[in-house]
Amino acid sequence: MSPWLEQDLIFITRLLIEGILVYFLLMHLIYLLLIILGALEQKKYHQGIHFGEFKRISESKLTLPISIVISAYNEEKMIVDTVLNSLQLRYPQFEVIVVNDGSEDSTLKILIERFKMYPAELVYKKQLQTNPIRAVYRSNDFPSLLVIDKENGRRADANNAGVDYARYPIICQIDADCVLEDDALLRMIRPFLEDDSVVAATGMIRPSNGLMVSNGKIVDRSLPQHWLPMFQYVEYLRAFQWARAGLSRLNSMLCMSGAYTFIRKDIFLKVGGANVNAVVDDFELTVDIHRYIQEHKDLGPMRIAYVPDPGCYSEVPETLKALSSQRNFWQRAILQSMIWNRDMMFNPKYRMVGMFGVPFFFIFEALSALVEVASYLLAPIAYYFGIATLDDVILLFIFGVVLGTVLSVCAVLLQEFSRFRQDRTKDLIRMLSTGFLEQFGYHQFHTYSRLIGIYDLLVRGKIAYGYRVRSGYLTPTNNQYKKDQK
């Protein structure tokens, strides 16, 4: 190798190492800022709640009625408890619409038998294009329950079908593996009642693994029993409870989780409903709403609210194969949306969404897997050839791994100031241990799955979810639960 080429190679390698160090430092500093802002947002939220406020909302005739839309595909293990849970929520007026999206298991049969469903003819105004509806069912025992059976079209298509049939002005979208706190609707409707500019809202989600559910009611809130869902528990704590609340404070929150989204029906229709061509409809729907808000300023102020209160629980993967499939899927969703909406990036027309939200998600979410894998490969190779010093390798480890551990531990500690803090010291110790260990193995597997997701989207054009398996909720008669309580 010529001396000139060797010098150029050394220069480029050194530049890459220094660039990665700056990237890691910026990423973790921004996340720390978001966690701090999220903590302040949660404090502000709880201080703003007045005594008896939710009781007044539950008794008021002016409280907006809600249509709960549950999309279900092959959910025979979860669907009964999820529907029962929704039907028993404390709220003055609501309906539950379950959309069976062409399930290939016994989901529809179980719904019909458990809730005594019968075929019904309904007149409705079709406003969104969806795959054909096969049948609509009503319940003898639960007049507020409606089941729609349709040909498979993925979650976006199922949600669109449910919204078409919805009678009420506020849509609550949840997944079929979700259960809600009994006051979840009361807490989520609050920002709509307080502020006319709120057009959509989302809230905090926690893993349901470890949750005990009996006849649709949450009877125990334990931590997940196994390490893999425990890692995700801490991850959700950091992302949903703190970072997302911080992003909301900056008006830059680009993902209302499809597992727990509230939106005005008129706004849902104005943005064209959920995008059936998107890898994941919730991320794209959030960006579409932000775009609509900024492109229709003449209609007055509009905003998306975030409720920093754990009201929804969703099952997280318990196997590496299922986790890899899920994170691959999420990575494809973020990258696809950033590519589709690249015109918003650093565009002052879209205010904070364009100047911070979209750039942040593109640079530090969509591309972070590439940068992390590059650092894992570059550090040992550069050190072996004498291009990087031991100090460089240590700094990469500190900025890439140690700072991530600090953020996870901070997220766990901050939770102790919330209303859902851990009651037992051993649970807090277990969560702190998980936060510390998360960056050593779990995070690297997560990063690898996201890297494959980038390849699957850009090279293979993959849209479908992939592998998924349900475990089901723990119940009082569950042998595994009994064993753990001994």
Side-chain angles (χ1 to χ4, degrees), residues 73-326:
Y73 176 71
N74 292 348
E75 298 286 1
E76 61 184 8
K77 289 184 179 180
M78 320 284 290
I79 196 63
V80 169
D81 274 315
T82 297
V83 174
L84 282 173
N85 171 264
S86 297
L87 291 169
Q88 297 175 77
L89 296 174
R90 286 197 294 119
Y91 200 77
Q93 187 177 10
F94 67 96
E95 64 179 347
V96 178
I97 302 172
V98 182
V99 184
N100 177 53
D101 192 37
S103 295
E104 298 173 348
D105 64 357
S106 300
T107 298
L108 181 61
K109 180 182 177 182
I110 289 171
L111 284 169
I112 291 173
E113 292 178 354
R114 174 61 181 80
F115 298 101
K116 297 180 181 178
M117 311 298 297
Y118 62 89
E121 293 289 338
L122 295 182
V123 177
Y124 73 103
K125 182 179 180 182
K126 188 168 181 60
Q127 302 178 78
L128 296 168
Q129 193 65 39
T130 66
N131 281 0
I133 306 297
R134 296 169 177 168
V136 179
Y137 299 88
R138 284 283 190 195
S139 171
N140 283 317
D141 293 347
F142 302 93
S144 61
L145 176 62
L146 182 71
V147 171
I148 300 169
D149 181 35
K150 61 178 288 294
E151 293 184 8
N152 180 260
R154 301 174 64 238
R155 188 176 70 177
D157 194 69
N159 283 337
N160 287 342
V163 172
D164 255 348
Y165 277 87
R167 294 182 293 156
Y168 298 140
I170 301 294
I171 304 298
C172 165
Q173 294 180 347
I174 65 172
D175 286 340
D177 65 328
C178 293
V179 287
L180 306 180
E181 292 287 349
D182 66 349
D183 62 352
L185 298 186
L186 297 173
R187 291 180 178 274
M188 290 301 295
I189 202 64
R190 180 173 173 265
F192 291 91
L193 301 176
E194 282 193 329
D195 186 354
D196 289 340
S197 70
V198 173
V199 297
T202 189
M204 194 183 300
I205 299 175
R206 288 188 176 177
S208 65
N209 310 56
L211 207 69
M212 186 166 68
V213 179
S214 179
N215 293 318
K217 283 192 172 293
I218 300 171
V219 295
D220 185 72
R221 299 172 185 81
S222 298
L223 293 176
Q225 299 168 354
H226 307 296
W227 278 105
L228 191 60
M230 267 301 296
F231 285 132
Q232 295 168 80
Y233 190 98
V234 172
E235 190 180 21
Y236 271 51
L237 199 63
R238 186 179 64 241
F240 284 101
Q241 182 157 335
W242 304 119
R244 217 164 266 195
L247 285 166
S248 178
R249 185 156 182 159
L250 296 175
N251 195 29
S252 300
M253 197 266 298
L254 299 188
C255 184
M256 297 188 299
S257 173
Y260 196 35
T261 291
F262 287 67
I263 180 172
R264 277 173 31 189
K265 182 177 178 179
D266 62 319
I267 295 296
F268 187 89
L269 295 174
K270 285 176 181 177
V271 300
N275 191 325
V276 297
N277 296 314
V279 173
V280 179
D281 55 290
D282 51 10
F283 197 98
E284 188 60 29
L285 177 62
T286 311
V287 178
D288 285 345
I289 294 172
H290 276 299
R291 182 185 288 275
Y292 179 86
I293 289 172
Q294 299 305 328
E295 292 180 355
H296 294 82
K297 296 186 182 75
D298 56 308
L299 299 178
M302 292 180 280
R303 70 181 183 93
I304 298 174
Y306 181 82
V307 178
D309 214 318
C312 177
Y313 301 85
S314 178
E315 187 179 78
V316 298
E318 298 230 8
T319 67
L320 289 174
K321 183 178 179 181
L323 176 66
S324 178
S325 180
Q326 183 195 66

Side-chain angles (χ1 to χ4, degrees), residues 351-395:
R351 298 187 180 180
M352 281 298 290
V353 175
M355 298 304 292
F356 177 76
V358 175
F360 169 78
F361 272 89
F362 178 70
I363 297 170
F364 295 114
E365 290 286 345
L367 299 182
S368 61
L370 288 172
V371 177
E372 288 188 49
V373 171
S375 71
Y376 297 146
L377 297 175
L378 187 62
I381 294 174
Y383 179 72
Y384 178 80
F385 286 103
I387 300 174
T389 65
L390 182 59
D391 289 344
D392 292 328
V393 176
I394 292 173
L395 282 175

